[in-house]
Amino acid sequence: MEDDNEVIEVPEAPPPPPPIDPALVTEAEAAKDEANKNFKAKHFAAAIEGYTRAISLNPNNAIYWSNRAAAHIKLENYGAAVADAEKATELDPKYIKGYYRRGDAHFALGKYKLALKDLRTAAKVAPRDPDLRKKLAECEKEVKRLRFEEALAVPESEAISVLATLDLSMYDNIEESYTGPRMQGNPTDGYVITEEFVEAMLEEFRQQKTIHKRFAFEIIRQAHTLFRSLPSLVDVTIPDDKHFTVCGDVHGQYFDLLNIWKINGKPSPDNPYLFNGDFVDRGSFSCEVIFALLAFKLLHPEHMHLTRGNHESKSMNKVYGFDGEVKAKYNGSMVDCFRELFCALPLAYCLNGRVLVLHGGLFSQDGVTLEEIRKTNRFREPPEDGVMCDALWADPSPVPGRTPSKRGVGLSFGADVTRTFLDANGLDLVVRSHEVKEEGYEVEHEGRLITVFSAPNYCDQMGNKGAFVRFNGNDMVPHFTTFSAVPHPDVKPMAYANSFLMGM
């Protein structure tokens, strides 16, 4: 275990590199300046291209590497950001932003001890930097919290179900002042969700109000019971004369979720949906999104489906806002209930035996079968490798084979991996989410892999469209609908996130 009080030494500067043609240096600076303009305009992918060109012309400039790391952080490519920041600090051990960037990326990955080491190294160079001091204090707090949790941790086999022991009697006497929607039934005989309740709840959320804690806990508990009964891979049959809609990440963008249902209709037996993970975090209406999705799942259990995403996890929720939002709008006990609920969400769905839908992507080894996914133990926090990790975190790549992930978790896989997996399992297509796309979707890997992302103008800054994909049961050909962001109340994304991230 690392010592929090270890002595941090700033590395010595390396020998100076051989000189570069001044014309190339000038060209590299021009590429960097153009990339900086794209960064300020929030065109982060274009910024990365510009910094990459600058690096190719002059690889000895630490600023280029650090700037590219910053752009990677904006696109959540934390593994790539760590590598670039590492190079910046190698070129110039006293370049403070190199340590900053690497610390930011490590923090975003939940690697608080590594982040703390980077920030302490930076503090040796710039001990009076106010932003650095603030980040250092926040990181030290997270490391202390982590150590406290580790000290109290019990083996998974001994963990007690929060939902199974949940006593809701303290919420049974609903205050007369509560004017919001009420579930049908009572504490003695049980509560039943109705269409009237769901419609009233959606409107309550639109007005930035909450539902009573008694009903909120009831929705979580009933949904958990339902999800626990499902396998890790669920088979869905779409009749020839019916259709089926798959949506990608929503990320707490409640008003854009309502717009999807305005465009395509609400979930019902005649209009089934699958929401493919990452319902929460980043957007500041995550409670509204998850309760809306769960309520429709309870109302139409055979026609509303939810896949687990990498943000339906403890480590992500602590950093990216969901924990803070639940505590602000409801209470801390509900955070633990959501943790347990998220661990019950299926990892994948197979549509008509032809289309596999999962949040991240394919696997680090050949030979994975649908049956293996079906039997994977998902009732836990995501591990750092294996089938479950890959299903939540992997990304497609234009490069053949398997390569390290730019995220720092999972892997990247090429078209050959997709082809081999689909052919071996008798499938036509993979549908996944997990990545923002300019048009809301992208078709790649010889047309056999689709990414769909349903959070338009992601985090109020990316300018992307959202999309959903619709299949008809008779042919299972994908049909895409794209849409733009709609206005929402003046609550900024990440409003409930860890304050460390505000400076990233």
Side-chain angles (χ1 to χ4, degrees):
M1 185 175 288
E2 294 177 15
D3 179 4
D4 284 354
N5 298 310
E6 65 179 312
V7 176
I8 302 296
E9 297 291 342
V10 178
E12 293 293 324
I20 294 176
D21 183 339
L24 294 180
V25 172
T26 301
E27 194 177 343
E29 277 294 295
K32 183 259 293 183
D33 291 343
E34 185 64 26
N36 285 349
K37 290 178 184 177
N38 278 317
F39 188 96
K40 289 177 182 177
K42 300 178 180 177
H43 302 318
F44 301 118
I48 288 172
E49 290 179 8
Y51 295 132
T52 300
R53 173 157 174 74
I55 288 167
S56 71
L57 295 164
N58 179 8
N60 301 325
N61 190 318
I63 294 173
Y64 301 166
W65 294 92
S66 178
N67 284 6
R68 193 171 72 173
H72 276 305
I73 286 170
K74 291 295 186 181
L75 292 180
E76 304 175 31
N77 300 336
Y78 300 122
V82 167
D84 279 355
E86 179 83 33
K87 183 64 177 179
T89 59
E90 285 177 11
L91 290 168
D92 184 355
K94 295 188 182 299
Y95 184 55
I96 184 174
K97 286 189 177 179
Y99 300 106
Y100 248 55
R101 304 296 184 225
R102 193 170 65 186
D104 284 349
H106 278 144
F107 191 96
L109 287 168
K111 297 179 178 180
Y112 305 124
K113 295 173 187 176
L114 290 175
L116 183 60
K117 185 175 181 180
D118 284 327
L119 295 175
R120 283 179 171 169
T121 304
K124 283 280 187 179
V125 179
R128 298 182 183 278
D129 185 296
D131 184 50
L132 175 57
R133 290 167 68 90
K134 181 180 176 183
K135 286 191 171 189
L136 193 55
E138 186 63 39
C139 197
E140 286 171 341
K141 184 175 79 172
E142 287 300 319
V143 169
K144 288 178 181 177
R145 179 189 60 76
L146 186 63
R147 291 188 182 281
F148 181 72
E149 289 184 354
E150 287 173 349
L152 296 179
V154 298
E156 281 188 11
S157 59
E158 299 176 18
I160 298 172
S161 168
V162 176
L163 285 163
T165 57
L166 186 63
D167 180 9
L168 295 180
S169 61
M170 70 181 78
Y171 306 116
D172 284 346
N173 294 321
I174 298 172
E175 306 85 353
E176 289 185 10
S177 59
Y178 176 70
T179 59
R182 296 172 181 251
M183 293 180 77
Q184 195 174 84
N186 57 64
T188 303
D189 301 322
Y191 286 102
V192 177
I193 201 159
T194 62
E195 191 168 344
E196 291 73 21
F197 172 83
V198 174
E199 289 293 337
M201 183 186 72
L202 297 182
E203 182 56 33
E204 197 82 350
F205 291 162
R206 191 196 297 271
Q207 297 177 24
Q208 293 184 264
K209 299 177 182 178
T210 59
I211 57 173
H212 195 276
K213 293 185 184 70
R214 181 64 181 84
F215 305 131
F217 277 112
E218 188 68 30
I219 289 171
I220 298 170
R221 187 163 67 174
Q222 289 189 24
H224 177 257
T225 299
L226 200 162
F227 284 122
R228 274 200 68 88
S229 68
L230 300 175
S232 291
L233 184 151
V234 179
D235 290 292
V236 175
T237 299
I238 308 166
D240 285 353
D241 60 343
K242 299 291 184 181
H243 64 263
F244 189 93
T245 301
V246 179
C247 297
D249 303 34
V250 179
H251 271 303
Q253 296 185 198
Y254 177 68
F255 293 85
D256 293 307
L257 173 64
L258 294 182
N259 189 44
I260 291 173
W261 290 336
K262 180 179 179 181
I263 296 168
N264 196 55
K266 291 173 182 164
S268 72
D270 290 324
N271 194 32
Y273 278 87
L274 167 56
F275 282 83
N276 195 28
D278 281 13
F279 323 117
V280 302
D281 280 341
R282 294 198 174 272
S284 296
F285 301 95
S286 291
C287 288
E288 290 78 1
V289 166
I290 190 62
F291 279 124
L293 296 176
L294 293 177
F296 275 114
K297 176 64 179 176
L298 294 176
L299 194 61
H300 305 297
E302 300 300 320
H303 304 96
M304 179 63 160
H305 309 280
L306 305 180
T307 320
R308 189 176 189 176
N310 62 301
H311 276 269
E312 279 69 59
S313 65
K314 178 179 179 179
S315 60
M316 294 291 104
N317 296 160
K318 280 186 175 298
V319 176
Y320 291 98
F322 186 57
D323 278 16
E325 184 180 339
V326 173
K327 290 174 183 176
K329 294 179 179 178
Y330 295 94
N331 60 32
S333 298
M334 193 174 288
V335 170
D336 294 329
C337 294
F338 271 118
R339 292 228 201 294
E340 199 166 329
L341 170 73
F342 289 162
C343 289
L345 291 171
L347 302 178
Y349 288 78
C350 187
L351 313 181
N352 279 5
R354 295 174 62 182
V355 177
L356 180 69
V357 185
L358 73 178
H359 180 73
L362 299 181
F363 308 101
S364 53
Q365 294 182 333
D366 286 334
V368 174
T369 65
L370 297 184
E371 192 59 27
E372 186 175 348
I373 303 170
R374 197 185 318 278
K375 293 181 177 179
T376 297
N377 173 25
R378 70 185 190 276
F379 296 102
R380 53 179 175 157
E381 291 300 320
E384 293 187 2
D385 54 30
V387 168
M388 182 173 175
C389 174
D390 298 338
L392 299 179
W393 279 98
D395 292 295
S397 167
V399 178
R402 295 176 173 90
T403 52
S405 172
K406 60 191 176 185
R407 296 178 186 270
V409 186
L411 75 149
S412 296
F413 59 96
D416 55 331
V417 175
T418 299
R419 187 188 322 113
T420 298
F421 173 83
L422 291 175
D423 290 348
N425 286 281
L427 298 167
D428 299 336
L429 182 68
V430 173
V431 177
R432 43 89 62 181
S433 301
H434 194 41
E435 287 183 286
V436 61
K437 296 296 180 181
E438 192 78 18
E439 293 300 314
Y441 74 95
E442 185 175 0
V443 182
E444 50 195 318
H445 287 190
E446 303 161 348
R448 301 189 74 182
L449 184 141
I450 290 169
T451 297
V452 59
F453 192 87
S454 302
N457 194 24
Y458 181 43
C459 289
D460 284 1
Q461 69 173 18
M462 299 300 287
N464 62 291
K465 292 180 180 177
F468 53 81
V469 56
R470 188 161 165 167
F471 294 93
N472 295 317
N474 62 336
D475 59 16
M476 295 303 291
V477 173
H479 300 273
F480 301 98
T481 298
T482 62
F483 54 94
S484 298
V486 296
H488 63 73
D490 189 21
V491 182
K492 303 300 182 188
M494 306 284 280
Y496 302 95
N498 190 294
S499 60
F500 185 103
L501 299 182
M502 298 300 102
M504 289 172 58

